[in-house]
Amino acid sequence: MRIIYVDVDTLRADHTTPYGYHRPTTPNLQKLADKSVVFDRYYCSDSPCLPSRTALTSGQFGISNGVIGHFGPAAQYRLDAGHGPEPDRPLLGQRLIWSGYYTAAISVFAERHRAYFFHGNFRESLRATDRMGDEEAPDVNRAAIDWLRRHADEEDWYLHLTYWEPHTNYTQPAEWTEKMAASGPVQAWPDEETIAAHAEVYGPRSALDLNYSIHGAGKSPVPHNMPDAIRSRADFEHLVNGFDGAISYWDHYFGQLMAALEELGIAEETAVIVSADHGESFGELGSYAEHGMASEPVQRVPLIVHWPGVTDRLPPEARRNDALLYNIDLAPTLCDLLGLDVPAGWQGESFAAAVRGERIDSRAYLVLGHGAHTYQRAVRTRDHLYLRTYHPGCFRAEWEQLFHVTEDPYLTRDLLAQEPELAARMRSHLAEWWNEYAGRPGALPDPMQATLQTGPTYYNDPARYARHLRESGRAHLAEDLEHRLATLNVPVSWHAPDRPRTTELLERWIHLLQTRDQRPADRADS
């Protein structure tokens, strides 16, 4: 069997045609979906990029494989010393290689995130360009189609392609953004009143700090595709047009990739799987154009599986599946479809029966984690989402929230106080899951708890950001951020080179702790 896995960075499911989007963003993806099974409730177990792809290829949750964030001990893949892969928990690509498959990748993900273990999936890894990520779709296609021409006559290969288009910054030519703007209206939410209220939600990629980075506030690097800030509906519409334009641009080149399979005569013999590492927020919880929380728009990802001779013969009603699934389920599913044994150390469950058009049982709930911009875990049932924040980073993230996602898809009404019994049940689900994977003898420490003192501060230093809030006339928000971090008993800065600039903020933090009878002197060198 020939298999192509198409990994589209930041592709939000409900902005694609197969998932009912009202704009024609992905006609070529829809052509594939017409002969595939579309999975409606497919979630990355861990987000964003590095935790998600590690979970996908390791078949394990981040709490077990060690990668829940993007730097330091929170991003260290757990491997025992020794020769060769661990037989009970190999990477997906290693399992395929053992069975005679030739595996290859056209992706610089491993180098972009210093995730060199990712190369262990592949016998061959190719660069489309000399760039460290953000290659454009035509460059990826050039390398991919060349690879396909050289291997079209061979059997049993697995090709992993990474496309970056929908990830900010939206670098596609402006005509693609204009085309989407002309194709139909942008969603009605958030309205002007909501956008105005979001001025009180601070954090990088919030409404007023859409282009803030650790280097300071900035203007849009792509003004034709993305505004400087979100101050009005017009700004929001401009942002969504840019995102949709990026998706449409990618889909155009995806169509060329599919045409190449037809030209080579292998389209009917090649499985094609399209998914994403994570989605994207567009106003939910005050976050814009970012994948910074364990929320519904971030964790839910598309999954479209075309398996020749199987999915193309299914009746239409068998081509949709709404079981709650994780991305760690894909590795055992592929083994199942290929007739291979599933390694004992993988934590996912095969849904191969659903690819064959059969009904499958759904999990009662999923537990989802995020560790790059905040430290959060979430519980997702069929209707509800419970969010628990362990560290807010620089974002105004509440400690606990509860939403009825089916009735409130934009997460606007927090039900935590109104539904105490439901909240307690969701907390118990989270505790049950944690005890299963980190609370038993022999289990490795939870990397989210082990790195809580530093937290998700790689991209944005809280001290610098608090300074920025004050300089931009939002001192009350700076005080709120500092109070949240003081409540956690963590320092507001970890960037040693910036010590002189953070003295005032450190003094504020020390004062806050002293008022709570703490002993900050023990952490004065943090």
Side-chain angles (χ1 to χ4, degrees), residues 21-25 172 174-186 224-225 234 236-246 248:
Y21 197 45
H22 65 284
R23 285 177 155 182
T25 50
Q172 74 275 4
E175 56 262 32
W176 292 90
T177 301
E178 295 164 359
K179 177 182 176 182
M180 283 297 102
S183 70
V186 171
H224 54 290
N225 290 336
F236 178 74
E237 291 172 6
H238 185 26
L239 180 68
V240 173
N241 289 337
F243 181 68
D244 288 351
S248 182

Side-chain angles (χ1 to χ4, degrees), residues 206-395:
S206 58
L208 298 185
D209 285 326
L210 185 64
N211 291 286
Y212 176 87
S213 74
I214 198 169
H215 304 294
K219 291 185 175 295
S220 171
V222 284
H224 54 290
N225 290 336
M226 186 175 174
D228 293 337
I230 307 297
R231 294 186 172 90
S232 67
R233 273 290 299 180
D235 291 330
F236 178 74
E237 291 172 6
H238 185 26
L239 180 68
V240 173
N241 289 337
F243 181 68
D244 288 351
I247 295 174
S248 182
Y249 182 70
W250 163 76
D251 181 76
H252 172 75
Y253 287 97
F254 176 69
Q256 290 188 0
L257 181 73
M258 294 297 96
L261 295 179
E262 295 283 354
E263 176 192 337
L264 294 169
I266 59 173
E268 301 305 316
E269 303 166 356
T270 304
V272 180
I273 302 167
V274 180
S275 190
D277 54 343
H278 51 74
E280 192 81 317
S281 292
F282 283 95
E284 294 89 353
L285 306 178
S287 176
Y288 290 87
E290 187 57 278
H291 30 275
M293 307 177 82
S295 62
E296 180 72 9
V298 174
Q299 303 291 143
R300 184 190 180 208
V301 292
L303 179 65
I304 296 171
V305 179
H306 168 60
W307 204 266
V310 178
T311 60
D312 43 3
R313 297 178 182 177
L314 297 175
E317 62 272 15
R319 293 199 186 121
R320 304 291 302 206
N321 185 279
D322 70 347
L324 288 168
L325 301 172
Y326 290 113
N327 64 340
I328 63 172
D329 296 331
L330 185 63
T333 298
L334 288 178
C335 285
D336 195 344
L337 289 168
L338 295 172
L340 308 178
D341 292 336
V342 176
W346 286 358
Q347 294 166 339
E349 300 176 4
S350 171
F351 55 86
V355 176
R356 301 184 184 107
E358 303 168 20
R359 292 184 59 83
I360 61 173
D361 293 332
S362 177
R363 291 179 175 88
Y365 66 89
L366 306 176
V367 174
L368 315 169
H370 179 89
H373 298 277
T374 60
Y375 272 6
Q376 289 186 330
R377 285 199 171 113
V379 177
R380 181 66 161 99
T381 62
R382 296 196 71 79
D383 291 318
H384 294 91
L385 179 76
Y386 167 79
L387 272 170
R388 167 78 163 89
T389 300
Y390 297 89
H391 194 303
C394 290
F395 198 81

Side-chain angles (χ1 to χ4, degrees), residues 159-173:
L159 177 64
H160 183 117
L161 305 177
T162 300
Y163 292 88
W164 302 93
E165 262 66 29
H167 193 292
T168 53
N169 302 311
Y170 311 138
T171 59
Q172 74 275 4

Side-chain angles (χ1 to χ4, degrees), residues 439-457:
R440 296 183 175 186
L444 296 173
D446 178 358
M448 187 172 289
Q449 295 293 331
T451 60
L452 190 58
Q453 182 70 10
T454 300
T457 50

